[in-house]
Amino acid sequence: MTPKEVIEFAKKNGAKAMDIRFMDFPGIWQHFTVPMSELDESSFEDGYGFDGSSIRGWQPIDASDMLVIPDPGTAAMDPFYKEPTLVLIGNIADPITRAPYTRDPRNIAKKAENYLKTTGIGDTAFIGPEAEFFIFDDVRYDSQKNVSFYEVDSVEGTWNTAREESPNLGYKPRLKEGYFPVPPTDKFQDLRTEMLLTLQQIGIDVECQHHEVATAGQAEIDMRFKPLLQMGDQLVWFKYILKNVAYRHGHTVTFMPKPIFGDNGSGMHTHISIWKENQPLFAGDKYAGVSQDALYAIGGILKHCRALCAFTNPTTNSYKRLVPGFEAPVNLAYSSRNRSASIRIPMYSSSPKAKRIEFRTPDPSCNGYIAFSAILMAVLDGIQNKMDPGDPLDKNIYDLPPEELAEIPSAPGSLEESLTALKEDHEFLLKGDVFTKDVIETWVSYKTKNEVNPVKLRPHPHEFFLYYDI
């Protein structure tokens, strides 16, 4: 839409206010609301001022003034607000120079798309994330000097088979048996369909929804692949809509990768392909029907995976899911069909347009704009430097003898390890000024100070179980 068309769209939908939204550095949507009288065509150039020092990972107090400039191409009506409200996603700019802000995640995604075009390799990177999540009925947690605990609950939780529910009607998925039972075992069919329809209501194409493997309401809703920046926008809408649909029905959604011990965690398998002039570049006559460039792209992801994890698996909880020896994509290998490899080449269709690579390590706690951009930069580095991914691994990694498994490199075992890898391996991210040294350094510093160290310094509740009587 043009600015004029946005204003006409708002009038047509009876908008009484405009909500402008942007992503903070770690990956949470922020917003403020203005009356429609404060939006005109000049607003799409002038922008709106706000305090950048109050946004996580952004400006110091002595340089706090920032601008957010609405992007007219992102206009949509909010599905939840009581009063009709237009939503616009904004780009962050310096109020003096008007230059795009380097720590704005959306700006990183825009630069990644632009860099792809300058390489001559392709003109569009398509991204298709499969974000898993949990639907809980109750969540409580606390972390103080003298107490630390969490508790989640779900009517579907296999631990509730003996709970007094007046009456307890059973049908609760056992551990690792949540894929795909029909109701009444699946208690959230209607809720997920409402999520699906709400996503469609604002223009997001959805392929399917279903229950996932874990007990206690694990689910997945798949969006149809889109260009990188557009998918970054859609992923924040996706999280927002799923949380709010659940909330208005008395449930809560979390994209935390590992909220339940002993059952599957939530991943975000991410499909990527590159196209040029409407032609797919990853289809060919090599292994599993892919092109040589696709194999080089795989080589790039495998080479840089440990550094990528700092963005694609950016929480300490991410590494409760990525544990060697369990059914998690920690082994840096590739295969067709084989879900025990970190990179899979899906074989559902023989169409060249369907050829893509699936990076299975990421999880949905990530900031999509930054994670997708980092994956693309690794793919391009692999193609540019003709990185050989080695031989595919077409057998169950978890059945390999220890001596053979030891030869397969692994993803990092902790957020701290991934941040160390990022410090040592980030030159590929700096190409085209997509990421800057300031972004890398700020990311490492923020994550270390606010997440790694606070978790490292606190006693874990299970340590009392193990050691209190020592």
Side-chain angles (χ1 to χ4, degrees):
M1 292 187 198
T2 65
K4 182 178 180 180
E5 288 171 337
V6 170
I7 293 171
E8 292 173 351
F9 171 80
K11 289 179 180 177
K12 178 182 177 182
N13 286 277
K16 296 182 179 180
M18 186 273 289
D19 214 43
I20 189 160
R21 300 180 185 175
F22 57 91
M23 179 76 81
D24 72 3
F25 204 44
I28 299 293
W29 231 5
Q30 311 294 311
H31 82 124
F32 60 87
T33 307
V34 301
M36 284 304 299
S37 59
E38 292 296 309
L39 178 70
D40 56 34
E41 291 186 46
S42 66
S43 303
F44 294 89
E45 293 185 8
D46 298 339
Y48 299 85
F50 70 98
D51 176 9
S53 69
S54 295
I55 303 299
R56 296 184 300 170
W58 278 13
Q59 292 294 90
I61 194 72
D62 59 327
S64 59
D65 288 355
M66 300 294 288
L67 283 178
V68 55
I69 302 171
D71 182 340
T74 64
M77 296 298 295
D78 187 275
F80 304 105
Y81 288 177
K82 179 180 177 181
E83 300 294 344
T85 301
L86 172 72
V87 175
L88 291 166
I89 299 175
N91 300 309
I92 309 303
D94 184 282
I96 298 174
T97 66
R98 310 287 297 189
Y101 186 44
T102 56
R103 296 185 197 173
D104 174 13
R106 195 167 192 265
N107 180 42
I108 293 172
K110 290 172 71 175
K111 289 192 292 183
E113 287 194 324
N114 290 335
Y115 175 67
L116 168 61
K117 295 173 184 176
T118 67
T119 65
I121 293 171
D123 50 43
T124 307
F126 285 110
I127 303 290
E130 299 176 358
E132 297 170 340
F133 56 97
F134 278 88
I135 304 167
F136 293 133
D137 302 327
D138 190 58
V139 55
R140 296 186 300 123
Y141 51 87
D142 200 0
S143 183
Q144 303 293 342
K145 300 291 185 185
N146 65 321
V147 63
S148 180
F149 84 97
Y150 73 90
E151 183 175 350
V152 295
D153 207 0
S154 169
V155 67
E156 276 196 359
T158 191
W159 54 82
N160 281 326
T161 54
R163 183 173 68 175
E164 179 58 58
E165 294 180 349
S166 303
N168 188 324
L169 300 177
Y171 302 116
K172 303 180 191 301
R174 289 175 285 270
L175 293 175
K176 299 183 180 295
E177 293 188 19
Y179 190 90
F180 297 153
V182 296
T185 302
D186 178 358
K187 308 264 188 314
F188 298 113
Q189 166 66 21
D190 290 340
L191 187 69
R192 294 194 309 271
T193 295
E194 184 176 335
M195 294 170 175
L196 178 156
L197 294 175
T198 308
L199 289 165
Q200 289 184 320
Q201 179 184 327
I202 66 156
I204 293 177
D205 294 327
V206 180
E207 293 183 332
C208 70
Q209 62 91 347
H210 59 82
H211 205 290
E212 256 298 340
V213 172
T215 189
Q218 192 184 34
E220 178 176 315
I221 299 176
D222 294 336
M223 295 178 282
R224 183 170 291 278
F225 63 89
K226 296 293 179 185
L228 189 152
L229 178 62
Q230 183 178 350
M231 184 52 75
D233 289 340
Q234 287 192 179
L235 185 59
V236 283
W237 267 113
F238 179 89
K239 290 184 176 182
Y240 174 78
I241 285 172
L242 268 57
K243 289 176 182 178
N244 278 281
V245 169
Y247 191 78
R248 71 184 177 189
H249 288 283
H251 302 288
T252 176
V253 158
T254 182
F255 293 92
M256 188 176 175
K258 190 71 173 180
I260 296 178
F261 167 70
D263 210 338
N264 283 37
S266 291
M268 190 179 75
H269 306 152
T270 301
H271 300 251
I272 182 169
S273 63
I274 295 178
W275 290 48
K276 186 174 184 178
E277 297 176 354
N278 294 318
Q279 295 300 313
L281 301 185
F282 282 3
D285 59 359
K286 303 297 182 183
Y287 171 80
V290 301
S291 66
Q292 184 63 63
D293 277 348
L295 292 177
Y296 290 147
I298 292 171
I301 293 178
L302 293 178
K303 176 178 173 58
H304 298 300
C305 182
R306 292 180 64 82
L308 287 179
C309 284
F311 296 122
T312 62
N313 304 81
T315 68
T316 59
N317 185 254
S318 297
Y319 299 88
K320 301 295 192 295
R321 168 180 170 258
L322 296 181
V323 179
F326 295 85
E327 292 185 16
V330 299
N331 298 289
L332 304 186
Y334 74 101
S335 176
S336 66
R337 305 180 66 181
N338 189 345
R339 283 175 165 79
S340 65
S342 62
I343 296 179
R344 186 174 75 96
I345 301 170
M347 301 299 291
Y348 295 124
S349 172
S350 59
S351 169
K353 294 183 178 181
K355 279 300 172 188
R356 73 269 192 196
I357 58 180
E358 177 190 4
F359 184 25
R360 297 177 61 80
T361 305
D363 70 55
S365 69
C366 70
N367 182 327
Y369 295 116
I370 295 179
F372 301 153
S373 299
I375 294 169
L376 174 60
M377 296 302 287
V379 162
L380 293 176
D381 194 51
I383 295 172
Q384 290 166 328
N385 291 289
K386 302 185 186 307
M387 293 179 181
D388 182 2
D391 295 328
L393 192 63
D394 289 328
K395 48 189 171 182
N396 190 339
I397 292 173
Y398 307 111
D399 289 340
L400 294 178
E403 60 274 13
E404 192 172 345
L405 186 61
E407 296 179 2
I408 302 173
S410 180
S414 69
L415 178 58
E416 187 172 24
E417 281 186 37
S418 70
L419 293 172
T420 298
L422 178 62
K423 286 191 286 187
E424 296 171 350
D425 176 26
H426 60 258
E427 291 299 321
F428 71 101
L429 297 169
L430 303 180
K431 294 179 180 179
D433 198 40
V434 174
F435 289 76
T436 63
K437 283 190 177 293
D438 171 69
V439 165
I440 302 295
E441 291 169 359
T442 303
W443 186 267
V444 171
S445 174
Y446 180 91
K447 287 286 174 177
T448 301
K449 177 182 177 181
N450 294 283
E451 299 177 34
V452 172
N453 288 343
V455 171
K456 186 192 296 185
L457 291 168
R458 282 168 168 78
H460 189 286
H462 197 65
E463 290 176 321
F464 281 81
F465 179 82
L466 293 173
Y467 308 127
Y468 187 77
D469 58 350
I470 273 178

